[in-house]
mmCIF file of all heavy atoms in Angstrom:
data_model
loop_
_atom_site.group_PDB
_atom_site.id
_atom_site.type_symbol
_atom_site.label_atom_id
_atom_site.label_comp_id
_atom_site.label_asym_id
_atom_site.label_seq_id
_atom_site.Cartn_x
_atom_site.Cartn_y
_atom_site.Cartn_z
ATOM 1 N N ASP A 1 -23.096 -77.267 -27.423
ATOM 2 C CA ASP A 1 -22.736 -77.408 -26.025
ATOM 3 C C ASP A 1 -21.913 -78.625 -25.896
ATOM 4 O O ASP A 1 -20.854 -78.612 -25.127
ATOM 5 C CB ASP A 1 -23.921 -77.449 -25.191
ATOM 6 C CG ASP A 1 -23.744 -77.479 -23.621
ATOM 7 O OD1 ASP A 1 -22.886 -76.681 -23.259
ATOM 8 O OD2 ASP A 1 -24.108 -78.368 -22.999
ATOM 9 N N VAL A 2 -22.329 -79.790 -26.485
ATOM 10 C CA VAL A 2 -21.624 -80.975 -26.389
ATOM 11 C C VAL A 2 -20.285 -80.884 -27.092
ATOM 12 O O VAL A 2 -19.262 -81.357 -26.547
ATOM 13 C CB VAL A 2 -22.412 -82.131 -27.075
ATOM 14 C CG1 VAL A 2 -21.571 -83.376 -27.235
ATOM 15 C CG2 VAL A 2 -23.712 -82.452 -26.413
ATOM 16 N N THR A 3 -20.252 -80.250 -28.223
ATOM 17 C CA THR A 3 -18.908 -80.013 -28.921
ATOM 18 C C THR A 3 -17.930 -79.213 -28.059
ATOM 19 O O THR A 3 -16.705 -79.501 -27.972
ATOM 20 C CB THR A 3 -19.178 -79.297 -30.259
ATOM 21 O OG1 THR A 3 -20.045 -80.057 -31.100
ATOM 22 C CG2 THR A 3 -17.855 -79.035 -30.988
ATOM 23 N N GLY A 4 -18.546 -78.109 -27.318
ATOM 24 C CA GLY A 4 -17.637 -77.363 -26.498
ATOM 25 C C GLY A 4 -17.164 -78.069 -25.269
ATOM 26 O O GLY A 4 -15.932 -77.969 -24.977
ATOM 27 N N ARG A 5 -17.974 -78.987 -24.762
ATOM 28 C CA ARG A 5 -17.520 -79.920 -23.640
ATOM 29 C C ARG A 5 -16.398 -80.807 -24.110
ATOM 30 O O ARG A 5 -15.556 -81.062 -23.393
ATOM 31 C CB ARG A 5 -18.666 -80.603 -23.019
ATOM 32 C CG ARG A 5 -19.596 -79.734 -22.145
ATOM 33 C CD ARG A 5 -20.348 -80.516 -21.181
ATOM 34 N NE ARG A 5 -21.220 -81.611 -21.797
ATOM 35 C CZ ARG A 5 -22.422 -81.444 -22.263
ATOM 36 N NH1 ARG A 5 -22.996 -80.245 -22.091
ATOM 37 N NH2 ARG A 5 -23.072 -82.458 -22.742
ATOM 38 N N VAL A 6 -16.667 -81.451 -25.237
ATOM 39 C CA VAL A 6 -15.655 -82.346 -25.801
ATOM 40 C C VAL A 6 -14.311 -81.637 -26.025
ATOM 41 O O VAL A 6 -13.285 -82.129 -25.721
ATOM 42 C CB VAL A 6 -16.094 -82.986 -27.059
ATOM 43 C CG1 VAL A 6 -15.048 -83.782 -27.740
ATOM 44 C CG2 VAL A 6 -17.354 -83.947 -26.780
ATOM 45 N N ARG A 7 -14.368 -80.438 -26.588
ATOM 46 C CA ARG A 7 -13.139 -79.619 -26.839
ATOM 47 C C ARG A 7 -12.465 -79.309 -25.618
ATOM 48 O O ARG A 7 -11.269 -79.461 -25.428
ATOM 49 C CB ARG A 7 -13.492 -78.333 -27.615
ATOM 50 C CG ARG A 7 -12.382 -77.553 -28.056
ATOM 51 C CD ARG A 7 -12.684 -76.260 -28.731
ATOM 52 N NE ARG A 7 -13.504 -76.451 -29.949
ATOM 53 C CZ ARG A 7 -14.781 -76.159 -30.004
ATOM 54 N NH1 ARG A 7 -15.309 -75.519 -28.987
ATOM 55 N NH2 ARG A 7 -15.420 -76.333 -31.100
ATOM 56 N N ARG A 8 -13.234 -78.975 -24.439
ATOM 57 C CA ARG A 8 -12.529 -78.606 -23.242
ATOM 58 C C ARG A 8 -11.997 -79.855 -22.574
ATOM 59 O O ARG A 8 -10.866 -79.777 -21.993
ATOM 60 C CB ARG A 8 -13.635 -78.022 -22.326
ATOM 61 C CG ARG A 8 -13.950 -76.481 -22.668
ATOM 62 C CD ARG A 8 -14.656 -75.891 -21.452
ATOM 63 N NE ARG A 8 -16.040 -76.492 -21.247
ATOM 64 C CZ ARG A 8 -17.095 -76.130 -21.892
ATOM 65 N NH1 ARG A 8 -17.091 -75.227 -22.825
ATOM 66 N NH2 ARG A 8 -18.241 -76.763 -21.692
ATOM 67 N N GLN A 9 -12.639 -81.002 -22.679
ATOM 68 C CA GLN A 9 -12.123 -82.256 -22.124
ATOM 69 C C GLN A 9 -10.821 -82.663 -22.751
ATOM 70 O O GLN A 9 -9.913 -83.024 -22.151
ATOM 71 C CB GLN A 9 -13.107 -83.339 -22.317
ATOM 72 C CG GLN A 9 -12.761 -84.623 -21.679
ATOM 73 C CD GLN A 9 -12.368 -84.579 -20.230
ATOM 74 O OE1 GLN A 9 -13.085 -83.872 -19.428
ATOM 75 N NE2 GLN A 9 -11.431 -85.318 -19.823
ATOM 76 N N ARG A 10 -10.857 -82.494 -24.134
ATOM 77 C CA ARG A 10 -9.564 -82.824 -24.865
ATOM 78 C C ARG A 10 -8.425 -81.902 -24.566
ATOM 79 O O ARG A 10 -7.269 -82.329 -24.406
ATOM 80 C CB ARG A 10 -9.857 -82.774 -26.388
ATOM 81 C CG ARG A 10 -10.754 -83.912 -26.893
ATOM 82 C CD ARG A 10 -10.968 -83.767 -28.347
ATOM 83 N NE ARG A 10 -11.728 -84.891 -28.832
ATOM 84 C CZ ARG A 10 -12.269 -84.994 -30.113
ATOM 85 N NH1 ARG A 10 -12.144 -83.910 -30.902
ATOM 86 N NH2 ARG A 10 -13.025 -86.060 -30.469
ATOM 87 N N GLN A 11 -8.781 -80.677 -24.267
ATOM 88 C CA GLN A 11 -7.770 -79.645 -23.891
ATOM 89 C C GLN A 11 -7.198 -80.020 -22.514
ATOM 90 O O GLN A 11 -6.033 -79.857 -22.318
ATOM 91 C CB GLN A 11 -8.312 -78.240 -23.897
ATOM 92 C CG GLN A 11 -7.315 -77.142 -23.760
ATOM 93 C CD GLN A 11 -7.916 -75.741 -23.820
ATOM 94 O OE1 GLN A 11 -8.808 -75.436 -23.111
ATOM 95 N NE2 GLN A 11 -7.402 -75.006 -24.917
ATOM 96 N N ILE A 12 -8.075 -80.334 -21.587
ATOM 97 C CA ILE A 12 -7.673 -80.755 -20.273
ATOM 98 C C ILE A 12 -6.745 -81.991 -20.334
ATOM 99 O O ILE A 12 -5.700 -82.095 -19.693
ATOM 100 C CB ILE A 12 -8.849 -81.018 -19.335
ATOM 101 C CG1 ILE A 12 -9.564 -79.799 -19.049
ATOM 102 C CG2 ILE A 12 -8.414 -81.764 -17.978
ATOM 103 C CD1 ILE A 12 -10.928 -79.953 -18.429
ATOM 104 N N GLU A 13 -7.148 -82.947 -21.139
ATOM 105 C CA GLU A 13 -6.263 -84.044 -21.296
ATOM 106 C C GLU A 13 -4.928 -83.766 -21.840
ATOM 107 O O GLU A 13 -3.864 -84.327 -21.482
ATOM 108 C CB GLU A 13 -6.945 -85.187 -22.182
ATOM 109 C CG GLU A 13 -8.170 -85.771 -21.606
ATOM 110 C CD GLU A 13 -8.999 -86.701 -22.516
ATOM 111 O OE1 GLU A 13 -8.526 -86.710 -23.660
ATOM 112 O OE2 GLU A 13 -10.025 -87.305 -22.076
ATOM 113 N N SER A 14 -4.876 -82.799 -22.824
ATOM 114 C CA SER A 14 -3.705 -82.370 -23.529
ATOM 115 C C SER A 14 -2.715 -81.689 -22.489
ATOM 116 O O SER A 14 -1.577 -81.835 -22.434
ATOM 117 C CB SER A 14 -3.904 -81.494 -24.740
ATOM 118 O OG SER A 14 -4.691 -82.164 -25.658
ATOM 119 N N VAL A 15 -3.312 -80.855 -21.631
ATOM 120 C CA VAL A 15 -2.632 -80.068 -20.499
ATOM 121 C C VAL A 15 -2.024 -81.282 -19.626
ATOM 122 O O VAL A 15 -0.878 -81.086 -19.262
ATOM 123 C CB VAL A 15 -3.572 -79.142 -19.832
ATOM 124 C CG1 VAL A 15 -2.874 -78.664 -18.591
ATOM 125 C CG2 VAL A 15 -3.993 -78.057 -20.656
ATOM 126 N N HIS A 16 -2.771 -82.260 -19.319
ATOM 127 C CA HIS A 16 -2.278 -83.223 -18.424
ATOM 128 C C HIS A 16 -1.116 -83.984 -18.954
ATOM 129 O O HIS A 16 -0.095 -84.218 -18.375
ATOM 130 C CB HIS A 16 -3.376 -84.269 -18.027
ATOM 131 C CG HIS A 16 -2.919 -85.358 -17.143
ATOM 132 N ND1 HIS A 16 -2.474 -86.613 -17.582
ATOM 133 C CD2 HIS A 16 -3.010 -85.386 -15.763
ATOM 134 C CE1 HIS A 16 -2.266 -87.350 -16.536
ATOM 135 N NE2 HIS A 16 -2.392 -86.584 -15.378
ATOM 136 N N ASP A 17 -1.186 -84.247 -20.333
ATOM 137 C CA ASP A 17 -0.109 -84.979 -20.981
ATOM 138 C C ASP A 17 1.136 -84.083 -21.045
ATOM 139 O O ASP A 17 2.282 -84.515 -20.807
ATOM 140 C CB ASP A 17 -0.465 -85.274 -22.490
ATOM 141 C CG ASP A 17 -1.585 -86.421 -22.437
ATOM 142 O OD1 ASP A 17 -1.698 -87.140 -21.443
ATOM 143 O OD2 ASP A 17 -2.229 -86.609 -23.529
ATOM 144 N N ALA A 18 0.952 -82.765 -21.386
ATOM 145 C CA ALA A 18 2.021 -81.865 -21.416
ATOM 146 C C ALA A 18 2.778 -81.718 -20.074
ATOM 147 O O ALA A 18 3.951 -81.587 -20.011
ATOM 148 C CB ALA A 18 1.520 -80.481 -21.931
ATOM 149 N N THR A 19 1.867 -81.692 -19.026
ATOM 150 C CA THR A 19 2.435 -81.547 -17.628
ATOM 151 C C THR A 19 3.345 -82.799 -17.376
ATOM 152 O O THR A 19 4.451 -82.661 -16.720
ATOM 153 C CB THR A 19 1.335 -81.424 -16.574
ATOM 154 O OG1 THR A 19 0.524 -80.207 -16.908
ATOM 155 C CG2 THR A 19 1.902 -81.188 -15.216
ATOM 156 N N GLU A 20 2.845 -84.014 -17.612
ATOM 157 C CA GLU A 20 3.594 -85.153 -17.430
ATOM 158 C C GLU A 20 4.960 -85.159 -18.173
ATOM 159 O O GLU A 20 5.970 -85.473 -17.590
ATOM 160 C CB GLU A 20 2.771 -86.382 -17.817
ATOM 161 C CG GLU A 20 1.711 -86.838 -16.739
ATOM 162 C CD GLU A 20 1.179 -88.290 -17.095
ATOM 163 O OE1 GLU A 20 1.391 -88.663 -18.213
ATOM 164 O OE2 GLU A 20 0.698 -88.832 -16.095
ATOM 165 N N GLU A 21 4.816 -84.732 -19.382
ATOM 166 C CA GLU A 21 6.039 -84.639 -20.163
ATOM 167 C C GLU A 21 7.078 -83.663 -19.644
ATOM 168 O O GLU A 21 8.287 -83.866 -19.606
ATOM 169 C CB GLU A 21 5.736 -84.195 -21.580
ATOM 170 C CG GLU A 21 6.899 -84.432 -22.563
ATOM 171 C CD GLU A 21 6.509 -84.304 -24.045
ATOM 172 O OE1 GLU A 21 5.313 -83.778 -24.307
ATOM 173 O OE2 GLU A 21 7.286 -84.658 -24.993
ATOM 174 N N LEU A 22 6.566 -82.507 -19.145
ATOM 175 C CA LEU A 22 7.455 -81.467 -18.542
ATOM 176 C C LEU A 22 8.142 -82.025 -17.272
ATOM 177 O O LEU A 22 9.199 -81.633 -16.936
ATOM 178 C CB LEU A 22 6.654 -80.214 -18.237
ATOM 179 C CG LEU A 22 6.625 -79.165 -19.319
ATOM 180 C CD1 LEU A 22 5.566 -78.117 -18.962
ATOM 181 C CD2 LEU A 22 7.986 -78.472 -19.425
ATOM 182 N N THR A 23 7.546 -82.923 -16.490
ATOM 183 C CA THR A 23 8.012 -83.374 -15.288
ATOM 184 C C THR A 23 9.258 -84.301 -15.556
ATOM 185 O O THR A 23 9.924 -84.661 -14.647
ATOM 186 C CB THR A 23 7.014 -84.173 -14.441
ATOM 187 O OG1 THR A 23 6.552 -85.238 -15.119
ATOM 188 C CG2 THR A 23 5.903 -83.256 -14.013
ATOM 189 N N THR A 24 9.412 -84.777 -16.787
ATOM 190 C CA THR A 24 10.514 -85.667 -17.171
ATOM 191 C C THR A 24 11.652 -84.847 -17.625
ATOM 192 O O THR A 24 12.855 -85.465 -17.900
ATOM 193 C CB THR A 24 10.096 -86.667 -18.153
ATOM 194 O OG1 THR A 24 9.848 -86.013 -19.459
ATOM 195 C CG2 THR A 24 8.878 -87.358 -17.804
ATOM 196 N N ALA A 25 11.609 -83.591 -17.868
ATOM 197 C CA ALA A 25 12.704 -82.763 -18.392
ATOM 198 C C ALA A 25 13.852 -82.805 -17.432
ATOM 199 O O ALA A 25 13.757 -82.639 -16.208
ATOM 200 C CB ALA A 25 12.229 -81.284 -18.576
ATOM 201 N N ASP A 26 15.061 -82.925 -17.973
ATOM 202 C CA ASP A 26 16.186 -83.124 -17.156
ATOM 203 C C ASP A 26 17.206 -81.923 -17.190
ATOM 204 O O ASP A 26 18.243 -81.838 -16.569
ATOM 205 C CB ASP A 26 17.084 -84.354 -17.504
ATOM 206 C CG ASP A 26 17.505 -84.447 -18.935
ATOM 207 O OD1 ASP A 26 17.187 -83.455 -19.670
ATOM 208 O OD2 ASP A 26 18.129 -85.453 -19.305
ATOM 209 N N ALA A 27 16.739 -80.934 -17.932
ATOM 210 C CA ALA A 27 17.535 -79.632 -18.056
ATOM 211 C C ALA A 27 16.655 -78.514 -18.256
ATOM 212 O O ALA A 27 15.486 -78.659 -18.909
ATOM 213 C CB ALA A 27 18.574 -79.736 -19.277
ATOM 214 N N PRO A 28 16.902 -77.264 -17.861
ATOM 215 C CA PRO A 28 16.140 -76.057 -18.026
ATOM 216 C C PRO A 28 15.738 -75.909 -19.468
ATOM 217 O O PRO A 28 14.614 -75.596 -19.822
ATOM 218 C CB PRO A 28 16.935 -75.022 -17.476
ATOM 219 C CG PRO A 28 17.862 -75.572 -16.497
ATOM 220 C CD PRO A 28 18.209 -76.869 -17.155
ATOM 221 N N GLU A 29 16.751 -76.036 -20.379
ATOM 222 C CA GLU A 29 16.462 -75.787 -21.757
ATOM 223 C C GLU A 29 15.440 -76.735 -22.338
ATOM 224 O O GLU A 29 14.528 -76.361 -23.123
ATOM 225 C CB GLU A 29 17.761 -75.898 -22.549
ATOM 226 C CG GLU A 29 18.816 -74.818 -22.272
ATOM 227 C CD GLU A 29 19.569 -75.161 -20.915
ATOM 228 O OE1 GLU A 29 19.450 -76.188 -20.407
ATOM 229 O OE2 GLU A 29 20.222 -74.209 -20.452
ATOM 230 N N ALA A 30 15.533 -78.051 -21.909
ATOM 231 C CA ALA A 30 14.547 -79.040 -22.431
ATOM 232 C C ALA A 30 13.151 -78.627 -21.893
ATOM 233 O O ALA A 30 12.178 -78.835 -22.712
ATOM 234 C CB ALA A 30 15.019 -80.425 -21.896
ATOM 235 N N ALA A 31 13.046 -78.227 -20.666
ATOM 236 C CA ALA A 31 11.754 -77.918 -20.047
ATOM 237 C C ALA A 31 11.156 -76.720 -20.812
ATOM 238 O O ALA A 31 9.970 -76.705 -21.189
ATOM 239 C CB ALA A 31 11.945 -77.527 -18.709
#
């Protein structure tokens, strides 16, 4: 259960990082 929560938390953090990176894209192809 702890391992599953840690994995989900890391995934959420990764999604957040990816979202932030996408907001910096300056062209459709880059996004």
Side-chain angles (χ1 to χ4, degrees):
D1 186 52
V2 171
T3 301
R5 286 203 302 271
V6 170
R7 187 183 300 112
R8 284 194 296 274
Q9 181 60 35
R10 287 178 177 172
Q11 191 174 59
I12 291 171
E13 291 174 355
S14 297
V15 169
H16 182 266
D17 291 342
T19 301
E20 281 195 339
E21 194 171 9
L22 268 168
T23 60
T24 65
D26 58 0
E29 295 77 12

